[in-house]
Amino acid sequence: MSLAGRTPLLLLTLSIAAVGIQALMLSPLLTDIAAGLGTGPKEIGFAASAYGVGVATAALLAAPQLGHWPKRGAIRMAFAVLAIALFLCAFAWDWRVLAASQLVAGLASGVIIPATYALTGDIAPPDRRSQDLGKVLFGWSIAMVAGVPLAAVLSSLVGWRGTFAIVGSVAALMPLAGALLPRVESHGSGERVRYGDVLRLPGAWTGYLSTFAYMIGFYQTYTFIGDHVRQLHGTGAWLGGTISLSYGIGFGVGVAFDKWIDRKGPLKVLPLGLVLVGLNYLVLPFAAEQIIAIMLWPFLWGLANHFCMTTLVSYMNTLSPQMRGTIMGLFSFTTYVSLGTAGAIYGPVYQAHGFFVVSFAAAATLGLAAVLAVRRQRAVFA
């Protein structure tokens, strides 16, 4: 592939990385932000929740429009809004201002993420779609491996306000860099795509239910694994950081399997991806019993998740080129509904019954999704 051909893919990968870094960096900055604003972690937690609400809301509201909006223009404009929101975070004088700014940042991200996935699907050759989508998804790995440590380093050098300002400056450059993205004509008629039109597509319910199962399984375990191992082994935050690093590296290395997904086809390998992730949740609580095991096992967790995530995104991209933007908007909405649902449902479950129950419930959810995927597979290939 020529340099000109690689440039759009690189920019789309960096778009996801930029969104991921600014989303993940609130966690390591939480203590400093709370002290700086004279408030507590609970209020800063509300700001983090506001971001998730913003992403889900934007993904839902923008989904019917993404089918005919110029995706390049939508990405560039959303990054401009994201930059403004991050600068507002940097100058926030009250936690409510921070929460409102995080809400706006979430709204912008809720456009960037599905538009990026959809534009990748538009420009990728059919025989390379999973590979190209996998490379773009690698942006999440960059954010996880580099974003949290980078935020911590920047915070120690320039403070949390300076960190927001620097990341905001990066976001401000993205509308300019976005000019290098290709102009892709809309596949649609120019009319607003209804949610019902998407949900009536053959295989759509299988895709969204599998996505919900995959995402809630991840969030209900990843959210609580750090606290579980710290209490289990009496360690500090370093163990949770090691788990994140190991997972992120595994997720990134998973790009090696993307060519195989293209060769087999996403529907053919979707049940396998869901089963692999489900098996991970059966093993995960046992791996957590040993420090060395829980430091190494997340690498395999990341591999399985990259394989399944790439398969899901590739599968959703094949449902309808005409509705691809709307399909991916609802995909992002499903992702962040899963995030909110996982915390609401499994927080009390974790507190009452522990991590084993939470992880085994995730395995059961993935098993049900695999059954749905097999049924869809049989309906298509029978």
Side-chain angles (χ1 to χ4, degrees):
M1 185 184 293
S2 66
L3 179 61
R6 288 196 298 265
T7 298
L9 204 59
L10 176 60
L11 287 174
L12 292 169
T13 303
L14 292 177
S15 293
I16 292 298
V19 169
I21 288 172
Q22 61 85 29
L24 292 171
M25 72 180 191
L26 197 63
S27 177
L29 300 181
L30 189 147
T31 303
D32 293 338
I33 295 173
L37 295 179
T39 188
K42 181 178 72 173
E43 286 76 16
I44 308 305
F46 284 139
S49 299
Y51 176 84
V53 170
V55 176
T57 301
L60 183 64
L61 296 179
Q65 313 298 336
L66 283 173
H68 65 272
W69 277 353
K71 299 180 186 72
R72 185 182 83 153
I75 292 170
R76 296 176 70 188
M77 183 168 292
F79 262 116
V81 174
L82 179 61
I84 293 171
L86 291 172
F87 285 128
L88 287 174
C89 289
F91 293 101
W93 58 91
D94 183 85
W95 73 266
R96 297 171 188 82
V97 177
L98 180 73
S101 302
Q102 283 289 301
L103 177 66
V104 175
L107 291 170
S109 298
V111 173
I112 294 168
I113 296 169
T116 298
Y117 292 160
L119 183 56
T120 305
D122 285 344
I123 65 177
D127 62 342
R128 285 187 51 86
R129 183 170 289 128
S130 294
Q131 296 172 68
D132 287 356
L133 284 167
K135 290 183 175 109
V136 170
L137 289 173
F138 183 70
W140 292 113
S141 186
I142 294 172
M144 185 166 288
V145 173
V148 174
L150 178 63
V153 170
L154 287 176
S155 181
S156 65
L157 295 174
V158 297
W160 66 269
R161 294 185 185 275
T163 302
F164 272 114
I166 289 172
V167 178
S169 298
V170 173
L173 293 175
M174 293 304 291
L176 302 176
L180 299 175
L181 292 172
R183 296 180 183 271
V184 177
E185 293 297 325
S186 170
H187 292 285
S189 63
E191 298 179 357
R192 183 179 185 271
V193 180
R194 298 179 179 87
Y195 300 123
D197 297 334
V198 170
L199 296 176
R200 282 191 291 270
L201 290 171
W205 277 105
T206 298
Y208 287 119
L209 289 174
S210 296
T211 299
F212 182 81
Y214 166 81
M215 291 296 182
I216 195 172
F218 171 72
Y219 287 123
Q220 75 191 60
T221 50
Y222 192 82
T223 300
F224 302 112
I225 183 66
D227 180 74
H228 173 64
V229 296
R230 288 186 66 175
Q231 293 194 35
L232 187 65
H233 300 292
T235 62
W238 66 267
L239 184 55
T242 302
I243 291 172
S244 295
L245 179 63
S246 179
Y247 174 90
I249 293 172
F251 193 93
V253 172
V255 298
F257 298 102
D258 295 340
K259 189 174 183 178
W260 188 75
I261 298 172
D262 274 326
R263 189 161 61 245
K264 294 293 184 180
L267 178 55
K268 287 185 177 180
V269 301
L270 181 56
L272 174 62
L274 293 167
V275 167
L276 288 175
V277 175
L279 288 175
N280 161 75
Y281 294 131
L282 291 178
V283 175
L284 186 61
F286 295 102
E289 296 292 305
Q290 300 293 327
I291 289 183
I292 296 298
I294 198 56
M295 290 171 65
L296 298 177
W297 181 261
F299 176 84
L300 298 177
W301 183 8
L303 279 177
N305 266 13
H306 180 98
F307 179 83
C308 193
M309 179 72 164
T310 302
T311 302
L312 277 168
V313 176
S314 184
Y315 171 77
M316 301 304 291
N317 263 280
T318 62
L319 292 180
S320 170
Q322 292 77 16
M323 302 183 191
R324 186 170 284 142
T326 304
I327 290 168
M328 297 318 298
L330 287 177
F331 179 89
S332 291
F333 172 72
T334 304
T335 297
Y336 280 87
V337 166
S338 302
L339 170 59
T341 304
I345 294 178
Y346 286 100
V349 172
Y350 171 68
Q351 185 171 341
H353 303 289
F355 188 75
F356 270 81
V357 172
V358 170
S359 195
F360 288 167
T365 304
L366 268 295
L368 291 174
V371 171
L372 289 177
V374 168
R375 291 182 62 184
R376 176 60 188 164
Q377 193 181 74
R378 289 179 175 174
V380 172
F381 297 112

